[in-house]
Amino acid sequence: MQNRIVLMCVWLLGMLVLSNAVLVVGAGAKAPAREVIALTTNAGEGVGIWMRSPDGKNPRLILEIDGDPIPSGLQWSPDGNQIAFFTKLEDNIDIYVVDANGENLEKLTNHEAEDSWPTWHPSGLRMAFQTNRDGNYEIYTMNTRGDILGNLTNDPAKDQYPAWSRNGRQIAFASKRGKSLGDIYLMDGEGEILQNLTDVRGEDIQPTWSWDNKMIAWTSRRSGNDEIWTMDAADGGNILKISDLQDPKAGGFPNREASWSPDGKHIAAAALGGGQANIRIHPATGNLNWNDLPNIGLQNRSPAWFDLDFVVEFSVELVDKQVLTWGWIKQVGGDD
């Protein structure tokens, strides 16, 4: 109890010191009260976005939406109040947001090109996303009203699958620059390339950050199949294979769309194959002792893990010329 009081006092003090600050996350008015995994399905009890507990229990449909492709790329807002995703409901593939309770569906982009794979800046004020509106896949940013702020990449190669770190300092993304089939790169919020984290034969795509910003999980074909791997975010070291398609119990299903558990102990991913997909929970240790969640329909995809009761370190930075303070406060040390 004492630890929670101390953390709350630190937060209040920060707000008083930063008199012109804008608190953009943490209220959690619409966020799930318990740890959940959001996912999508296109068949079974209901087409759309579902919530369920990490053990697969208590599934519930929050938004019935029959998009083509199936709603994909689910991303929680930093405060858990909204979910961003992409699908084709009208003429084009666009980015949408919806409240965590399934209300207030809003279309953010409206362009004849494909706008997809949104990722939130931790301030909650803007997103990065991939688009081919200029004839080539690049990474752009927009505010949460859908106003385009500019492009972060401008390269003849395809730049895709952006993932903003939870401290807002870096964006991981996949690129086919050079002679690569696809590598994972890091850039800052201005689009300056910081480093190439992977450089091996085989396509590397769909990076995602651990909640503490120390690790990145991604999908790689370096072993000949789509598998989930992890590495240190700082330098690409300590590479670990998390899934194994060749294991007989894996069913020969490629693995994509990784999402870290908030405590960093597990990684959810979509196992695809045979016209079906299911959500598989992998230990982050790579011991291959995974668990398949019960399927809701034929295509269970795009897992997105969220837990409101989790610490993200406070950070202060300049965004759009405003000082922002953000963070979640977690119960630590129990009630003693």
Side-chain angles (χ1 to χ4, degrees), residues 308-320:
L308 185 66
D309 186 28
F310 195 81
V311 170
V312 175
E313 215 171 280
F314 282 95
S315 177
V316 178
E317 63 174 84
L318 287 174
V319 179
D320 301 329

Side-chain angles (χ1 to χ4, degrees), residues 188-201:
D188 63 20
E190 302 300 321
E192 294 293 328
I193 303 299
L194 302 178
Q195 62 188 118
N196 176 197
L197 289 182
T198 65
D199 187 15
V200 298
R201 185 174 180 82

Side-chain angles (χ1 to χ4, degrees), residues 8 10 22 25 36 40 42 69 94 113 117 148 151 172 185 187 195 197 201 223 239 253-254 304 306 311 322 329:
M8 182 62 74
V10 170
V22 178
V25 302
V36 295
T40 63
N42 68 347
D94 284 300
W117 297 102
I148 301 300
N151 57 313
Y185 284 77
M187 64 178 167
Q195 62 188 118
L197 289 182
R201 185 174 180 82
S223 63
I239 292 176
F253 285 7
F306 183 79
V311 170
Q322 287 183 307
I329 297 174

Side-chain angles (χ1 to χ4, degrees), residues 116-189:
S116 57
W117 297 102
T119 178
W120 297 81
H121 183 274
S123 68
L125 295 179
R126 53 192 169 121
M127 299 179 189
F129 64 101
Q130 76 173 42
T131 180
N132 61 350
R133 59 180 60 202
D134 290 334
N136 181 50
Y137 281 105
E138 303 288 357
I139 295 172
Y140 277 61
T141 58
M142 64 179 170
N143 62 28
T144 52
R145 297 185 302 273
D147 301 324
I148 301 300
L149 303 177
N151 57 313
L152 294 179
T153 66
N154 185 15
D155 193 274
K158 292 181 179 179
D159 295 326
Q160 298 175 281
Y161 305 108
W164 227 314
S165 64
R166 298 181 189 273
N167 58 18
R169 297 170 187 164
Q170 296 176 310
I171 297 173
F173 67 102
S175 179
K176 298 182 181 293
R177 297 166 187 243
K179 297 180 180 179
S180 170
L181 295 175
D183 284 321
I184 305 301
Y185 284 77
L186 291 181
M187 64 178 167
D188 63 20

Side-chain angles (χ1 to χ4, degrees), residues 67-130:
D68 181 20
I70 178 176
S72 301
L74 270 59
Q75 288 287 314
W76 287 96
S77 64
D79 57 7
N81 286 349
Q82 293 180 300
I83 297 174
F85 62 95
F86 68 92
T87 190
K88 182 180 180 181
L89 292 181
E90 298 174 355
D91 295 329
N92 312 303
I93 295 177
D94 284 300
I95 294 171
Y96 295 78
V97 292
V98 66
D99 290 349
N101 59 8
E103 297 178 358
N104 301 316
L105 177 66
E106 181 181 1
K107 184 178 182 180
L108 291 188
T109 64
N110 187 15
H111 196 278
E112 61 186 12
E114 175 191 318
D115 297 328
S116 57
W117 297 102
T119 178
W120 297 81
H121 183 274
S123 68
L125 295 179
R126 53 192 169 121
M127 299 179 189
F129 64 101
Q130 76 173 42

